[in-house]
Amino acid sequence: MSRSIQRRTFLTAAATAAATAVGVSSASAAPRTPVPSTPAARVSTAFTLPDDRAYPEGIAADPRTGALYVGSYTTGAVYRAVPGSRTAEIFLPAGRDGRHTANGLKVDRAGRLWVTDSTAGVSVYDVRTRSALARFDVPGDAPRFVNDIAITADGSAYLTDSVREVVYRVAPADLAEARTHGGHATLTPAHDLGGVLAPHPAGTFTLNGIAAGDRCLFTVDMTGGALYRVDLATGAIRRVTLHGGDLVNGDGLELVGDTLWAAHNKTDAISRWRLSADGTSARLERVLTDPALQIPTTLVRRHGRTLVVRSQFDKGGPMGPGTPETPFTVAWVRGI
């Protein structure tokens, strides 16, 4: 998809294709290995969002309180839904701290909310006071698309860049140093996957979702449909062998134990995979394909069910013209 992202100030050739990073690869419109949908799965509304132009993208759960945070791709607002609530509230208003988009979100164990801005980098907030703690930006003017985020057990944050094909790292020491120097710092690549990704057309977006394992990271190439494992101790990068399917259009990832869930945005699908003990292979267990998912972008597991962001990017958002169904919602999905 080649439409330019709305309200961008850096309309380079890469940014013109930015909808691909949050939408789909133009190279493939459907998974290469069809798998029957899961008949027992059910999709229902978990809670609604307050903005009729939200076009949500990312979701994160606070591990301490159970509160859920959802980011708006088109405005940069962040919404919060407390346990039991059927309607989210505005937690951070649109345009807060100069952000005009909110992609990946994560809440760490210290109660800090990390919000990626595809155009710039990542901002860190205190969930109790809503105050900004730090901001890390990609230096220079070259194209970038900071997409999704994962946090490892040591408190480090890792972020994918869909244009530069790198994974950035913000270690706890980096965050502490930024806070002592006015709260601003730069993002630096920790892992470069450009040399291992499958060949793809110039300007195509690649890295998207990312998840943290015990000693490694997993990140998806949404164009090639592949999953990559990054060893945190050695930096070694290898392609995970997938059995039974692929991850074309793969967006957000969720990893619990040895089970990996993936949202496939354009194809309105969620897949579930079983990882091998060493994380070098994965077998497809189930797939749910349902138009009720409304272009799912990210997901999170809570209480044995899957919460899925319904972006509706194809209805007046970055993937195409039209009118969205309002209010925007986050779905409960059972059976996947």
CSV table of all heavy atoms in Angstrom, one decimal, residues 42-49 56-60 68-70 251-252 254 261-265 268-271 288 290 292-302 305-312 328-334 336:
chain,number,residue,atom,x,y,z
A,42,ARG,N,-14.3,-17.0,19.1
A,42,ARG,CA,-15.3,-15.9,19.2
A,42,ARG,C,-14.7,-14.6,19.3
A,42,ARG,O,-13.8,-14.4,20.1
A,42,ARG,CB,-16.3,-16.2,20.3
A,42,ARG,CG,-17.2,-17.5,20.1
A,42,ARG,CD,-18.1,-17.6,21.2
A,42,ARG,NE,-17.4,-17.9,22.5
A,42,ARG,CZ,-17.9,-17.7,23.7
A,42,ARG,NH1,-19.1,-17.2,23.8
A,42,ARG,NH2,-17.2,-17.9,24.8
A,43,VAL,N,-15.2,-13.6,18.6
A,43,VAL,CA,-14.8,-12.2,18.7
A,43,VAL,C,-15.9,-11.3,19.3
A,43,VAL,O,-17.0,-11.4,18.8
A,43,VAL,CB,-14.3,-11.7,17.3
A,43,VAL,CG1,-13.8,-10.2,17.4
A,43,VAL,CG2,-13.3,-12.6,16.7
A,44,SER,N,-15.5,-10.6,20.3
A,44,SER,CA,-16.5,-9.7,21.0
A,44,SER,C,-15.8,-8.4,21.4
A,44,SER,O,-14.6,-8.4,21.4
A,44,SER,CB,-17.2,-10.4,22.2
A,44,SER,OG,-16.3,-10.7,23.1
A,45,THR,N,-16.6,-7.4,21.8
A,45,THR,CA,-16.0,-6.1,22.2
A,45,THR,C,-15.6,-6.2,23.6
A,45,THR,O,-16.4,-6.5,24.5
A,45,THR,CB,-17.0,-5.0,21.9
A,45,THR,OG1,-17.2,-4.9,20.5
A,45,THR,CG2,-16.4,-3.7,22.4
A,46,ALA,N,-14.3,-5.8,23.9
A,46,ALA,CA,-13.9,-5.7,25.3
A,46,ALA,C,-14.2,-4.4,25.9
A,46,ALA,O,-14.7,-4.2,27.0
A,46,ALA,CB,-12.4,-6.0,25.4
A,47,PHE,N,-13.8,-3.3,25.1
A,47,PHE,CA,-14.1,-1.9,25.5
A,47,PHE,C,-14.0,-1.0,24.3
A,47,PHE,O,-13.4,-1.4,23.3
A,47,PHE,CB,-13.2,-1.5,26.7
A,47,PHE,CG,-11.7,-1.5,26.4
A,47,PHE,CD1,-11.0,-0.5,25.8
A,47,PHE,CD2,-10.9,-2.6,26.7
A,47,PHE,CE1,-9.7,-0.5,25.5
A,47,PHE,CE2,-9.6,-2.7,26.5
A,47,PHE,CZ,-8.9,-1.6,25.9
A,48,THR,N,-14.6,0.2,24.5
A,48,THR,CA,-14.6,1.2,23.4
A,48,THR,C,-13.6,2.3,23.7
A,48,THR,O,-13.1,2.5,24.8
A,48,THR,CB,-16.0,1.8,23.2
A,48,THR,OG1,-16.3,2.5,24.4
A,48,THR,CG2,-17.0,0.7,23.0
A,49,LEU,N,-13.2,3.0,22.7
A,49,LEU,CA,-12.3,4.1,22.8
A,49,LEU,C,-13.1,5.4,22.6
A,49,LEU,O,-14.0,5.5,21.8
A,49,LEU,CB,-11.2,4.0,21.7
A,49,LEU,CG,-10.3,2.7,21.8
A,49,LEU,CD1,-9.3,2.7,20.7
A,49,LEU,CD2,-9.7,2.6,23.2
A,56,PRO,N,-6.7,3.1,16.4
A,56,PRO,CA,-5.7,2.6,17.3
A,56,PRO,C,-4.7,1.6,16.7
A,56,PRO,O,-5.0,1.0,15.7
A,56,PRO,CB,-6.6,1.8,18.3
A,56,PRO,CG,-7.8,1.4,17.5
A,56,PRO,CD,-8.1,2.5,16.6
A,57,GLU,N,-3.6,1.5,17.3
A,57,GLU,CA,-2.5,0.7,16.8
A,57,GLU,C,-1.9,-0.3,17.8
A,57,GLU,O,-1.8,-1.4,17.6
A,57,GLU,CB,-1.4,1.5,16.1
A,57,GLU,CG,-0.7,0.8,15.0
A,57,GLU,CD,0.4,-0.2,15.4
A,57,GLU,OE1,0.8,-0.1,16.6
A,57,GLU,OE2,0.8,-1.0,14.6
A,58,GLY,N,-1.4,0.3,18.9
A,58,GLY,CA,-0.7,-0.5,19.9
A,58,GLY,C,-1.5,-0.7,21.2
A,58,GLY,O,-2.4,0.1,21.5
A,59,ILE,N,-1.2,-1.8,21.9
A,59,ILE,CA,-1.8,-2.0,23.2
A,59,ILE,C,-0.8,-2.6,24.2
A,59,ILE,O,0.1,-3.3,23.8
A,59,ILE,CB,-3.0,-3.0,23.0
A,59,ILE,CG1,-3.8,-3.2,24.3
A,59,ILE,CG2,-2.5,-4.4,22.5
A,59,ILE,CD1,-5.1,-4.0,24.2
A,60,ALA,N,-1.0,-2.2,25.5
A,60,ALA,CA,-0.1,-2.7,26.5
A,60,ALA,C,-0.8,-2.9,27.8
A,60,ALA,O,-1.8,-2.2,28.1
A,60,ALA,CB,1.1,-1.7,26.8
A,68,LEU,N,-5.1,-1.3,30.9
A,68,LEU,CA,-4.7,-1.5,29.5
A,68,LEU,C,-4.6,-0.1,28.9
A,68,LEU,O,-5.4,0.8,29.1
A,68,LEU,CB,-5.8,-2.3,28.8
A,68,LEU,CG,-5.9,-3.8,29.2
A,68,LEU,CD1,-7.2,-4.3,28.8
A,68,LEU,CD2,-4.7,-4.6,28.7
A,69,TYR,N,-3.5,0.0,28.1
A,69,TYR,CA,-3.2,1.3,27.4
A,69,TYR,C,-3.2,1.0,25.9
A,69,TYR,O,-2.7,0.0,25.4
A,69,TYR,CB,-1.9,1.8,27.8
A,69,TYR,CG,-1.8,2.2,29.3
A,69,TYR,CD1,-1.5,1.2,30.3
A,69,TYR,CD2,-2.0,3.5,29.7
A,69,TYR,CE1,-1.5,1.5,31.6
A,69,TYR,CE2,-2.0,3.8,31.1
A,69,TYR,CZ,-1.7,2.8,32.0
A,69,TYR,OH,-1.7,3.2,33.3
A,70,VAL,N,-3.9,1.9,25.2
A,70,VAL,CA,-4.0,1.8,23.7
A,70,VAL,C,-3.6,3.1,23.1
A,70,VAL,O,-4.0,4.2,23.6
A,70,VAL,CB,-5.5,1.5,23.3
A,70,VAL,CG1,-5.6,1.4,21.8
A,70,VAL,CG2,-5.9,0.2,24.0
A,251,ASP,N,2.1,-8.5,12.3
A,251,ASP,CA,2.2,-7.2,12.9
A,251,ASP,C,2.6,-7.4,14.4
A,251,ASP,O,3.7,-7.8,14.6
A,251,ASP,CB,0.8,-6.4,12.8
A,251,ASP,CG,0.9,-4.9,13.0
A,251,ASP,OD1,1.7,-4.5,13.8
A,251,ASP,OD2,0.2,-4.2,12.2
A,252,GLY,N,1.7,-7.1,15.3
A,252,GLY,CA,2.1,-7.3,16.7
A,252,GLY,C,2.3,-8.8,17.1
A,252,GLY,O,1.6,-9.7,16.6
A,254,GLU,N,2.8,-11.5,20.6
A,254,GLU,CA,2.7,-11.7,22.0
A,254,GLU,C,3.2,-13.1,22.4
A,254,GLU,O,2.8,-14.1,21.8
A,254,GLU,CB,1.2,-11.6,22.5
A,254,GLU,CG,0.9,-12.0,23.9
A,254,GLU,CD,1.2,-10.9,24.9
A,254,GLU,OE1,2.0,-9.9,24.5
A,254,GLU,OE2,0.8,-10.9,26.1
A,261,TRP,N,1.7,-15.6,19.7
A,261,TRP,CA,0.6,-15.2,19.0
A,261,TRP,C,1.0,-14.0,18.0
A,261,TRP,O,1.9,-13.2,18.4
A,261,TRP,CB,-0.6,-14.7,19.9
A,261,TRP,CG,-1.3,-15.7,20.7
A,261,TRP,CD1,-2.5,-16.3,20.3
A,261,TRP,CD2,-0.9,-16.2,21.9
A,261,TRP,NE1,-2.8,-17.2,21.3
A,261,TRP,CE2,-1.9,-17.2,22.3
A,261,TRP,CE3,0.2,-16.0,22.8
A,261,TRP,CZ2,-1.8,-17.9,23.5
A,261,TRP,CZ3,0.3,-16.7,24.0
A,261,TRP,CH2,-0.7,-17.7,24.3
A,262,ALA,N,0.4,-14.0,16.8
A,262,ALA,CA,0.7,-12.9,15.9
A,262,ALA,C,-0.6,-12.4,15.3
A,262,ALA,O,-1.5,-13.1,14.9
A,262,ALA,CB,1.6,-13.4,14.8
A,263,ALA,N,-0.7,-11.0,15.2
A,263,ALA,CA,-1.7,-10.4,14.4
A,263,ALA,C,-1.3,-10.2,13.0
A,263,ALA,O,-0.2,-9.8,12.7
A,263,ALA,CB,-2.1,-9.0,15.1
A,264,HIS,N,-2.2,-10.7,12.1
A,264,HIS,CA,-1.9,-10.5,10.6
A,264,HIS,C,-2.9,-9.4,10.2
A,264,HIS,O,-4.1,-9.7,10.0
A,264,HIS,CB,-2.2,-11.8,9.9
A,264,HIS,CG,-1.3,-12.9,10.3
A,264,HIS,ND1,-0.3,-13.4,9.5
A,264,HIS,CD2,-1.3,-13.6,11.4
A,264,HIS,CE1,0.4,-14.4,10.1
A,264,HIS,NE2,-0.2,-14.6,11.3
A,265,ASN,N,-2.4,-8.2,9.9
A,265,ASN,CA,-3.3,-7.1,9.8
A,265,ASN,C,-4.3,-7.1,8.6
A,265,ASN,O,-5.5,-7.2,8.8
A,265,ASN,CB,-2.6,-5.8,9.8
A,265,ASN,CG,-1.3,-5.8,9.0
A,265,ASN,OD1,-1.2,-6.3,7.9
A,265,ASN,ND2,-0.2,-5.3,9.6
A,268,ASP,N,-7.0,-9.9,8.4
A,268,ASP,CA,-7.9,-10.1,9.5
A,268,ASP,C,-7.7,-11.4,10.2
A,268,ASP,O,-8.7,-12.2,10.3
A,268,ASP,CB,-9.4,-10.0,9.0
A,268,ASP,CG,-9.8,-8.5,8.6
A,268,ASP,OD1,-9.2,-7.6,9.2
A,268,ASP,OD2,-10.6,-8.3,7.7
A,269,ALA,N,-6.5,-11.7,10.6
A,269,ALA,CA,-6.2,-13.0,11.1
A,269,ALA,C,-5.3,-12.9,12.4
A,269,ALA,O,-4.6,-12.0,12.6
A,269,ALA,CB,-5.5,-13.9,10.1
A,270,ILE,N,-5.4,-14.0,13.2
A,270,ILE,CA,-4.5,-14.2,14.3
A,270,ILE,C,-4.0,-15.6,14.2
A,270,ILE,O,-4.8,-16.5,14.0
A,270,ILE,CB,-5.3,-14.0,15.7
A,270,ILE,CG1,-5.8,-12.5,15.8
A,270,ILE,CG2,-4.3,-14.2,16.8
A,270,ILE,CD1,-6.7,-12.4,17.0
A,271,SER,N,-2.7,-15.8,14.4
A,271,SER,CA,-2.1,-17.1,14.3
A,271,SER,C,-1.5,-17.4,15.7
A,271,SER,O,-1.1,-16.5,16.4
A,271,SER,CB,-1.1,-17.2,13.2
A,271,SER,OG,0.0,-16.3,13.4
A,288,LEU,N,-7.1,-18.0,13.3
A,288,LEU,CA,-8.5,-17.4,13.3
A,288,LEU,C,-8.5,-16.3,12.2
A,288,LEU,O,-7.7,-15.4,12.3
A,288,LEU,CB,-8.9,-16.8,14.6
A,288,LEU,CG,-10.2,-15.9,14.6
A,288,LEU,CD1,-11.4,-16.8,14.2
A,288,LEU,CD2,-10.3,-15.2,15.9
A,290,ASP,N,-11.2,-13.7,10.6
A,290,ASP,CA,-12.6,-13.2,10.8
A,290,ASP,C,-12.6,-11.7,10.5
A,290,ASP,O,-11.8,-10.9,11.1
A,290,ASP,CB,-13.0,-13.4,12.3
A,290,ASP,CG,-14.5,-13.2,12.5
A,290,ASP,OD1,-15.1,-12.3,11.8
A,290,ASP,OD2,-15.0,-13.8,13.4
A,292,ALA,N,-14.4,-9.6,11.5
A,292,ALA,CA,-14.8,-8.8,12.8
A,292,ALA,C,-13.5,-8.3,13.5
A,292,ALA,O,-13.6,-7.5,14.4
A,292,ALA,CB,-15.6,-9.7,13.7
A,293,LEU,N,-12.3,-8.8,13.1
A,293,LEU,CA,-11.1,-8.4,13.7
A,293,LEU,C,-10.7,-7.0,13.1
A,293,LEU,O,-9.9,-6.3,13.7
A,293,LEU,CB,-9.9,-9.3,13.4
A,293,LEU,CG,-10.1,-10.7,14.1
A,293,LEU,CD1,-9.0,-11.7,13.6
A,293,LEU,CD2,-10.0,-10.5,15.6
A,294,GLN,N,-11.3,-6.6,12.0
A,294,GLN,CA,-11.1,-5.2,11.5
A,294,GLN,C,-9.7,-4.7,11.4
A,294,GLN,O,-9.4,-3.6,11.9
A,294,GLN,CB,-12.0,-4.2,12.3
A,294,GLN,CG,-13.5,-4.6,12.3
A,294,GLN,CD,-14.3,-3.6,13.2
A,294,GLN,OE1,-13.9,-3.3,14.3
A,294,GLN,NE2,-15.4,-3.2,12.7
A,295,ILE,N,-8.9,-5.4,10.7
A,295,ILE,CA,-7.4,-5.1,10.5
A,295,ILE,C,-6.7,-5.1,11.9
A,295,ILE,O,-6.4,-4.0,12.5
A,295,ILE,CB,-7.2,-3.7,9.8
A,295,ILE,CG1,-8.1,-3.6,8.6
A,295,ILE,CG2,-5.7,-3.6,9.4
A,295,ILE,CD1,-7.8,-4.7,7.5
A,296,PRO,N,-6.5,-6.2,12.5
A,296,PRO,CA,-5.9,-6.3,13.8
A,296,PRO,C,-4.4,-5.9,13.7
A,296,PRO,O,-3.7,-6.4,12.8
A,296,PRO,CB,-6.0,-7.8,14.2
A,296,PRO,CG,-6.1,-8.5,12.9
A,296,PRO,CD,-6.8,-7.6,11.9
A,297,THR,N,-3.9,-5.1,14.6
A,297,THR,CA,-2.6,-4.7,14.6
A,297,THR,C,-1.7,-5.2,15.7
A,297,THR,O,-0.5,-5.6,15.5
A,297,THR,CB,-2.5,-3.1,14.6
A,297,THR,OG1,-3.3,-2.6,15.6
A,297,THR,CG2,-3.0,-2.6,13.2
A,298,THR,N,-2.2,-5.2,16.9
A,298,THR,CA,-1.5,-5.7,18.1
A,298,THR,C,-2.4,-6.5,19.0
A,298,THR,O,-3.6,-6.3,18.9
A,298,THR,CB,-0.8,-4.5,18.9
A,298,THR,OG1,-1.8,-3.5,19.1
A,298,THR,CG2,0.4,-3.9,18.1
A,299,LEU,N,-1.8,-7.2,19.9
A,299,LEU,CA,-2.6,-8.0,20.8
A,299,LEU,C,-1.8,-8.3,22.1
A,299,LEU,O,-0.6,-8.1,22.2
A,299,LEU,CB,-2.9,-9.3,20.1
A,299,LEU,CG,-1.8,-10.4,19.8
A,299,LEU,CD1,-2.5,-11.7,19.3
A,299,LEU,CD2,-0.9,-9.9,18.7
A,300,VAL,N,-2.6,-8.6,23.1
A,300,VAL,CA,-2.0,-8.9,24.4
A,300,VAL,C,-2.9,-10.0,25.1
A,300,VAL,O,-4.1,-10.0,24.9
A,300,VAL,CB,-1.9,-7.7,25.3
A,300,VAL,CG1,-3.3,-7.1,25.7
A,300,VAL,CG2,-1.1,-7.9,26.5
A,301,ARG,N,-2.3,-10.9,25.9
A,301,ARG,CA,-3.0,-11.9,26.6
A,301,ARG,C,-3.4,-11.5,28.0
A,301,ARG,O,-2.5,-11.0,28.7
A,301,ARG,CB,-2.2,-13.2,26.6
A,301,ARG,CG,-1.9,-13.9,25.3
A,301,ARG,CD,-3.1,-14.7,24.8
A,301,ARG,NE,-3.4,-15.8,25.7
A,301,ARG,CZ,-4.4,-16.7,25.5
A,301,ARG,NH1,-5.3,-16.5,24.5
A,301,ARG,NH2,-4.5,-17.7,26.3
A,302,ARG,N,-4.7,-11.7,28.4
A,302,ARG,CA,-5.1,-11.5,29.7
A,302,ARG,C,-6.1,-12.5,30.1
A,302,ARG,O,-7.1,-12.8,29.4
A,302,ARG,CB,-5.8,-10.1,29.8
A,302,ARG,CG,-4.9,-8.9,29.5
A,302,ARG,CD,-3.8,-8.7,30.6
A,302,ARG,NE,-4.4,-8.3,31.8
A,302,ARG,CZ,-3.8,-8.3,33.0
A,302,ARG,NH1,-2.5,-8.6,33.0
A,302,ARG,NH2,-4.4,-8.0,34.1
A,305,ARG,N,-7.5,-15.1,27.6
A,305,ARG,CA,-8.1,-14.6,26.4
A,305,ARG,C,-7.1,-13.6,25.8
A,305,ARG,O,-6.2,-13.2,26.4
A,305,ARG,CB,-9.4,-14.0,26.7
A,305,ARG,CG,-10.5,-14.9,27.2
A,305,ARG,CD,-11.9,-14.3,27.3
A,305,ARG,NE,-11.8,-13.3,28.4
A,305,ARG,CZ,-12.9,-12.5,28.8
A,305,ARG,NH1,-14.0,-12.7,28.1
A,305,ARG,NH2,-12.8,-11.7,29.8
A,306,THR,N,-7.4,-13.3,24.5
A,306,THR,CA,-6.6,-12.4,23.7
A,306,THR,C,-7.3,-11.1,23.5
A,306,THR,O,-8.4,-11.2,22.9
A,306,THR,CB,-6.2,-13.1,22.4
A,306,THR,OG1,-5.6,-14.4,22.7
A,306,THR,CG2,-5.2,-12.2,21.7
A,307,LEU,N,-6.7,-10.0,23.8
A,307,LEU,CA,-7.2,-8.7,23.5
A,307,LEU,C,-6.5,-8.2,22.3
A,307,LEU,O,-5.3,-8.3,22.1
A,307,LEU,CB,-6.9,-7.7,24.7
A,307,LEU,CG,-7.8,-7.9,25.9
A,307,LEU,CD1,-7.1,-7.5,27.1
A,307,LEU,CD2,-9.1,-7.0,25.7
A,308,VAL,N,-7.4,-7.8,21.3
A,308,VAL,CA,-6.9,-7.4,20.0
A,308,VAL,C,-7.3,-6.0,19.6
A,308,VAL,O,-8.5,-5.7,19.7
A,308,VAL,CB,-7.4,-8.4,18.9
A,308,VAL,CG1,-6.8,-8.1,17.5
A,308,VAL,CG2,-7.0,-9.9,19.3
A,309,VAL,N,-6.4,-5.2,19.1
A,309,VAL,CA,-6.7,-3.9,18.7
A,309,VAL,C,-7.3,-4.0,17.3
A,309,VAL,O,-6.8,-4.6,16.4
A,309,VAL,CB,-5.4,-3.0,18.6
A,309,VAL,CG1,-5.8,-1.7,17.9
A,309,VAL,CG2,-4.9,-2.8,20.0
A,310,ARG,N,-8.5,-3.4,17.1
A,310,ARG,CA,-9.2,-3.3,15.8
A,310,ARG,C,-9.0,-2.0,15.2
A,310,ARG,O,-9.6,-1.0,15.5
A,310,ARG,CB,-10.7,-3.6,16.0
A,310,ARG,CG,-10.9,-5.0,16.5
A,310,ARG,CD,-12.3,-5.5,16.3
A,310,ARG,NE,-13.2,-5.2,17.4
A,310,ARG,CZ,-14.4,-5.7,17.7
A,310,ARG,NH1,-14.8,-6.7,16.9
A,310,ARG,NH2,-15.1,-5.4,18.7
A,311,SER,N,-8.0,-1.9,14.3
A,311,SER,CA,-7.5,-0.6,13.8
A,311,SER,C,-8.4,0.1,12.8
A,311,SER,O,-8.5,1.4,12.8
A,311,SER,CB,-6.1,-0.7,13.2
A,311,SER,OG,-6.2,-1.3,11.9
A,312,GLN,N,-9.1,-0.7,12.0
A,312,GLN,CA,-9.9,-0.1,10.9
A,312,GLN,C,-9.1,0.8,10.0
A,312,GLN,O,-9.6,1.8,9.5
A,312,GLN,CB,-11.1,0.6,11.4
A,312,GLN,CG,-12.1,-0.3,12.2
A,312,GLN,CD,-13.5,0.4,12.4
A,312,GLN,OE1,-14.2,0.5,11.4
A,312,GLN,NE2,-13.7,0.8,13.6
A,328,PHE,N,-14.4,3.2,18.0
A,328,PHE,CA,-13.4,2.3,17.8
A,328,PHE,C,-13.3,1.4,19.0
A,328,PHE,O,-13.7,1.8,20.1
A,328,PHE,CB,-12.0,3.0,17.6
A,328,PHE,CG,-11.8,3.6,16.3
A,328,PHE,CD1,-12.2,4.9,16.0
A,328,PHE,CD2,-11.3,2.8,15.2
A,328,PHE,CE1,-12.0,5.5,14.8
A,328,PHE,CE2,-11.1,3.4,14.0
A,328,PHE,CZ,-11.4,4.7,13.7
A,329,THR,N,-12.9,0.1,18.8
A,329,THR,CA,-13.0,-0.8,19.9
A,329,THR,C,-11.7,-1.7,20.0
A,329,THR,O,-10.9,-1.8,19.0
A,329,THR,CB,-14.2,-1.8,19.7
A,329,THR,OG1,-14.0,-2.5,18.5
A,329,THR,CG2,-15.5,-1.0,19.7
A,330,VAL,N,-11.5,-2.3,21.1
A,330,VAL,CA,-10.6,-3.4,21.3
A,330,VAL,C,-11.4,-4.6,21.6
A,330,VAL,O,-12.4,-4.6,22.3
A,330,VAL,CB,-9.7,-3.1,22.5
A,330,VAL,CG1,-8.8,-4.3,22.9
A,330,VAL,CG2,-8.7,-1.9,22.2
A,331,ALA,N,-11.0,-5.7,21.0
A,331,ALA,CA,-11.8,-7.0,21.0
A,331,ALA,C,-11.3,-8.0,22.0
A,331,ALA,O,-10.0,-8.1,22.2
A,331,ALA,CB,-11.9,-7.6,19.6
A,332,TRP,N,-12.2,-8.8,22.6
A,332,TRP,CA,-11.8,-10.0,23.2
A,332,TRP,C,-11.9,-11.1,22.2
A,332,TRP,O,-12.9,-11.2,21.4
A,332,TRP,CB,-12.8,-10.4,24.3
A,332,TRP,CG,-12.6,-9.8,25.7
A,332,TRP,CD1,-13.5,-9.0,26.3
A,332,TRP,CD2,-11.5,-10.0,26.5
A,332,TRP,NE1,-13.0,-8.7,27.6
A,332,TRP,CE2,-11.7,-9.2,27.7
A,332,TRP,CE3,-10.3,-10.7,26.4
A,332,TRP,CZ2,-10.9,-9.2,28.8
A,332,TRP,CZ3,-9.4,-10.6,27.5
A,332,TRP,CH2,-9.7,-9.9,28.7
A,333,VAL,N,-10.9,-12.0,22.1
A,333,VAL,CA,-11.0,-13.1,21.2
A,333,VAL,C,-10.8,-14.4,22.1
A,333,VAL,O,-9.7,-14.5,22.7
A,333,VAL,CB,-9.9,-13.1,20.1
A,333,VAL,CG1,-10.0,-14.3,19.2
A,333,VAL,CG2,-10.1,-11.8,19.3
A,334,ARG,N,-11.8,-15.3,22.0
A,334,ARG,CA,-11.7,-16.5,22.8
A,334,ARG,C,-11.4,-17.6,21.8
A,334,ARG,O,-12.0,-17.6,20.7
A,334,ARG,CB,-13.0,-16.8,23.5
A,334,ARG,CG,-13.3,-15.7,24.5
A,334,ARG,CD,-14.8,-15.8,25.0
A,334,ARG,NE,-15.1,-14.9,26.0
A,334,ARG,CZ,-15.5,-13.6,25.8
A,334,ARG,NH1,-15.6,-13.2,24.6
A,334,ARG,NH2,-15.8,-12.8,26.8
A,336,ILE,N,-8.4,-18.8,20.7
A,336,ILE,CA,-7.1,-18.7,19.9
A,336,ILE,C,-6.0,-18.5,20.8
A,336,ILE,O,-4.8,-18.7,20.5
A,336,ILE,CB,-7.2,-17.6,18.9
A,336,ILE,CG1,-6.0,-17.6,17.9
A,336,ILE,CG2,-7.3,-16.2,19.6
A,336,ILE,CD1,-5.9,-18.8,17.0
